[in-house]
């Protein structure tokens, strides 16, 4: 269970670290773990405030099944240092970023 907590916390902190400093984004992150298979499934909904830039990074060992910005699918990520990354530039209005991902935790 410690690995799960660390993984989720790392994702959350990475989202915060990559966010713009102008305005704090709002996060809603849900994670489900199947203890028998060690399969981890998550959904992160991030509301990016007007004028703020945001970034999302997820370890490449996790599969992103869908990532959308205001309901429109984003292009595949740019892998950097073992991370799948997306950068959301600042805009004049609030935007909603939704990421659905899954992967198996190491034993």
């Amino acid at each position: 269970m410690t690995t799960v907590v660390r993984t989720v916390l790392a994702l959350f902190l990475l989202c915060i670290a990559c966010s713009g400093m102008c305005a704090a984004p709002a996060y809603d992150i849900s994670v489900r773990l199947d203890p028998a298979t060690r399969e981890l499934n998550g959904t992160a909904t991030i509301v990016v405030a007007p004028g703020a830039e945001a970034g999302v990074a997820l370890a490449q060992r996790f599969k992103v099944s869908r990532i959308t910005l205001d309901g429109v699918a984003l292009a595949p990520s740019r892998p950097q240092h073992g991370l799948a990354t997306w950068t959301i530039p600042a805009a004049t209005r609030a935007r909603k970023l939704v990421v659905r991902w899954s992967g198996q935790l190491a034993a």
Side-chain angles (χ1 to χ4, degrees):
M1 192 59 108
T2 303
T3 303
V4 174
V5 172
R6 279 188 285 190
T7 301
V8 171
L9 183 59
L11 173 64
F12 179 71
L13 292 176
L14 194 50
C15 286
I16 290 173
C18 294
S19 297
M21 300 305 284
C22 184
Y27 294 90
D28 181 10
I29 300 174
S30 63
V31 179
R32 188 179 68 228
L33 171 65
D34 180 337
T37 64
R38 303 186 60 79
E39 182 73 18
L40 187 66
N41 292 286
T43 301
T45 301
I46 305 165
V47 177
V48 183
E53 180 180 275
V56 174
L58 188 65
Q60 284 183 299
R61 68 184 179 127
F62 293 105
K63 177 185 172 200
V64 175
S65 58
R66 185 157 172 81
I67 182 167
T68 61
L69 181 62
D70 295 329
V72 177
L74 294 182
S77 71
R78 299 180 323 251
Q80 297 178 350
H81 310 289
L83 297 172
T85 62
W86 292 265
T87 301
I88 310 304
T92 57
R93 62 180 177 78
R95 287 148 310 136
K96 182 178 177 181
L97 180 68
V98 179
V99 183
R100 289 189 175 91
W101 51 274
S102 63
Q104 190 166 23
L105 294 177

